Amino acid sequence: MINKWIRRKRNSLGFGIQSPNDFYFVQHILREKSPYYAYTELHKMLQQLPADCPRFSEEIYRLLFRLTNHIYPHTIIEVGTGTGLSACAMTMAHPTGECITIDGTVPASQLAVRDRLLTNFPQITVKNGDEMALFQQILSTRKHIGILHIAHTAHYKEATRLALPYITENTLFVIQGIRDNDEKRIWWEALQKERHTGVSYDLGETGLMFFDRLHHKDMYWVNLRSK
């Protein structure tokens, strides 16, 4: 445990990262402190959410914006829409890209919140119903995924497995709640070690997984709150 803490501390500050690409990603994407134009609007949207609606921290919405702005994927697929704010954050970073978000059955009050948020984002496609059936249907009409966001869903294992045939060297999986419980934490740690995965980043609340096999495989622990 002590060795793991030391490794996490070193990586969180940027030390111990040998790859220039990984170092740049940590310092200038994950821990970037510049006030992007969308942050003010994201803050306003977050403040408008009722207290009982599922949400992430404001830091995570900003992260989703930065990741999408950096990768600029053609296709974003999200499983577990929630209020729709995460889809909005990613779309704000790439207005011309395709963003599809999938959700199961949700309360009418949450649907009303989502509809209000998505009014100004007609490019976001929302699908409700059987999450995994809808996900399979969407995947069957596409060749690859740019960003897969595993958000407010209990189907994280199945969604990840179904998506693997559609990854490229540029694909990014963003997985929320990697420490929600022991089962999910153990699953995430095992996923990092699988042969088809590349560089991964453990941000505490969120896990990032890349699949570039030409890149040296490594696992980093990064503290987003570092000064």
Side-chain angles (χ1 to χ4, degrees), residues 11 13-31 201 215 220:
N11 285 334
L13 298 176
F15 303 117
I17 299 179
Q18 302 300 319
S19 165
N21 290 333
D22 296 347
F23 185 84
Y24 176 89
F25 183 73
V26 170
Q27 297 297 332
H28 298 286
I29 306 301
L30 298 186
R31 294 175 58 211
Y201 297 86
H215 212 61
Y220 299 115

Side-chain angles (χ1 to χ4, degrees), residues 183-202:
E183 180 183 1
K184 196 167 185 179
R185 174 186 57 79
I186 292 169
W187 169 81
W188 161 250
E189 292 176 354
L191 179 66
Q192 290 179 291
K193 299 173 184 178
E194 291 187 6
R195 60 179 178 79
H196 52 263
T197 62
V199 177
S200 62
Y201 297 86
D202 186 326

Side-chain angles (χ1 to χ4, degrees), residues 65-79:
F65 175 89
R66 294 197 303 274
L67 289 170
T68 307
N69 185 63
H70 173 64
I71 296 174
Y72 226 63
H74 179 268
T75 300
I76 300 168
I77 302 178
E78 176 181 67
V79 181

Side-chain angles (χ1 to χ4, degrees), residues 150 160 173-178 184 187-188 191 205-208:
I150 304 293
T160 302
F173 285 7
V174 183
I175 304 171
Q176 304 292 354
I178 57 174
K184 196 167 185 179
W187 169 81
W188 161 250
L191 179 66
E205 181 180 350
T206 303
L208 307 180

Side-chain angles (χ1 to χ4, degrees), residues 102 131-141 158 162 166:
I102 305 165
E131 286 184 341
M132 292 303 95
L134 289 170
F135 191 40
Q136 286 182 298
Q137 180 183 9
I138 291 167
L139 289 174
S140 68
T141 62
E158 188 174 0
L162 290 172
Y166 299 88

Side-chain angles (χ1 to χ4, degrees), residues 8 55-61 63 149-152 174-180 184 188 201-208 221-225:
R8 177 170 187 160
R55 70 183 71 201
F56 303 118
S57 65
E58 187 166 356
E59 188 175 69
I60 294 302
Y61 294 114
L63 173 66
H149 184 215
I150 304 293
H152 304 282
V174 183
I175 304 171
Q176 304 292 354
I178 57 174
R179 287 186 176 78
D180 281 352
K184 196 167 185 179
W188 161 250
Y201 297 86
D202 186 326
L203 310 180
E205 181 180 350
T206 303
L208 307 180
W221 287 266
V222 179
N223 180 8
L224 293 183
R225 295 182 175 85

